[in-house]
Every structure is written in structure tokens, then in C-alpha cells.
Amino acid sequence: MRPLTQEWLDKAAADYRSMHREYRVTEDPNYNDVCFHDQQCVEKSLKAFLHTHHIYFPKTHDISEILRLTLPVHPEWEALIKPNAFLTDFAADTRYPGESAFKEEADKAVVACENIRKIVLSAFDDLDQHRLV
């Protein structure tokens, strides 16, 4: 694996761990942080995938835009775009006054993050299997 790809994956994993730590808090959980780390985990996981496939990506937090860039390799991932577009809002909107995330949004974001992370990591596993053949 290319070193920068691994760094993207490591940073995504750190966001995933941070999300889960805050999500498990029983007293005064910060759902803004849960949703932010969900979005960041998805973004960085997808960017790792793009990097390993030598696909250029701009500096963006837009999950739909990033997913569209994966379609030449995994056209079936188009089905992920619409239902996960909401994650983009958590990159900045809930980080500032005027917008806040609540438990219901955090629950939905956690499920989306876990789903996409599993799909992306599985694609890396498949890629490694092909390299071993």
C-alpha cells in the first residue's frame, strides 16, 4: 500500500475511534462531534480509496462529489450517493453556532459511516487479494 494511502486510512480510523468514544458517552454526549467524526471518517476513507487508484480529488468535504469520483472503479457505489449526501452537512455546519446535531442524526450518521467504511475497507481487501494472485 502506498504510504499516503495508509496515512489517509489511519486518519480515517482515528476519526472512527473518536466518533465511537463520544457516541458511547452517557452523560452530555456531543452529537456535533459524533457527526463531524462520522463525516471525516467517510471522507478520508474514500480519499484513501481514490489515492490508491491514482484518481485525483479536489479539496472538498462533499461526500457526494467524492463518491462520484469512485464510480469508474466501483460504479455500483452510485447507490451510496443520495442516501449519504447528508453527511456533508456535518463537515462544517454543525461546527458553528446556528446548527446542532441531535441523537437521531448521530444515530443515522453512525450507521452511514459504518456502512461506507465497511464497503471501502472491503474494496481494499479485494484489491490486496488481487495483488496476491
Side-chain angles (χ1 to χ4, degrees), residues 73-90:
V73 180
H74 279 287
E76 70 276 13
W77 289 5
E78 185 171 9
L80 299 172
I81 295 172
K82 190 173 182 179
N84 294 291
F86 76 100
L87 291 170
T88 299
D89 296 340
F90 301 129

Side-chain angles (χ1 to χ4, degrees), residues 8-125:
W8 278 112
L9 288 173
D10 292 346
K11 289 190 175 287
D15 281 308
Y16 185 77
R17 290 188 305 274
S18 295
M19 173 272 294
H20 269 289
R21 274 194 301 271
E22 188 60 32
Y23 189 60
R24 288 190 304 261
V25 169
T26 57
E27 188 175 321
D28 198 25
N30 184 337
Y31 294 123
N32 293 322
D33 276 0
V34 170
C35 292
F36 172 72
H37 287 295
D38 282 331
Q39 187 281 337
Q40 287 290 290
C41 177
V42 169
E43 177 183 329
K44 292 169 188 170
S45 297
L46 290 168
K47 287 179 175 179
F49 176 84
L50 292 170
H51 183 264
T52 204
H53 287 283
H54 304 278
I55 299 172
Y56 169 80
F57 53 89
K59 289 184 178 182
T60 183
H61 301 298
D62 187 324
I63 298 302
S64 297
E65 183 178 345
I66 298 166
L67 275 166
R68 279 187 200 93
L69 294 172
T70 69
L71 298 182
V73 180
H74 279 287
E76 70 276 13
W77 289 5
E78 185 171 9
L80 299 172
I81 295 172
K82 190 173 182 179
N84 294 291
F86 76 100
L87 291 170
T88 299
D89 296 340
F90 301 129
D93 293 356
T94 57
R95 310 283 297 159
Y96 298 97
E99 294 288 331
S100 292
F102 298 97
K103 184 173 183 346
E104 296 76 24
E105 291 168 303
D107 291 343
K108 184 178 174 185
V110 167
V111 169
C113 175
E114 289 179 341
N115 180 48
I116 293 175
R117 183 172 188 265
K118 182 175 142 183
I119 289 167
V120 172
L121 292 179
S122 176
F124 274 101
D125 288 344

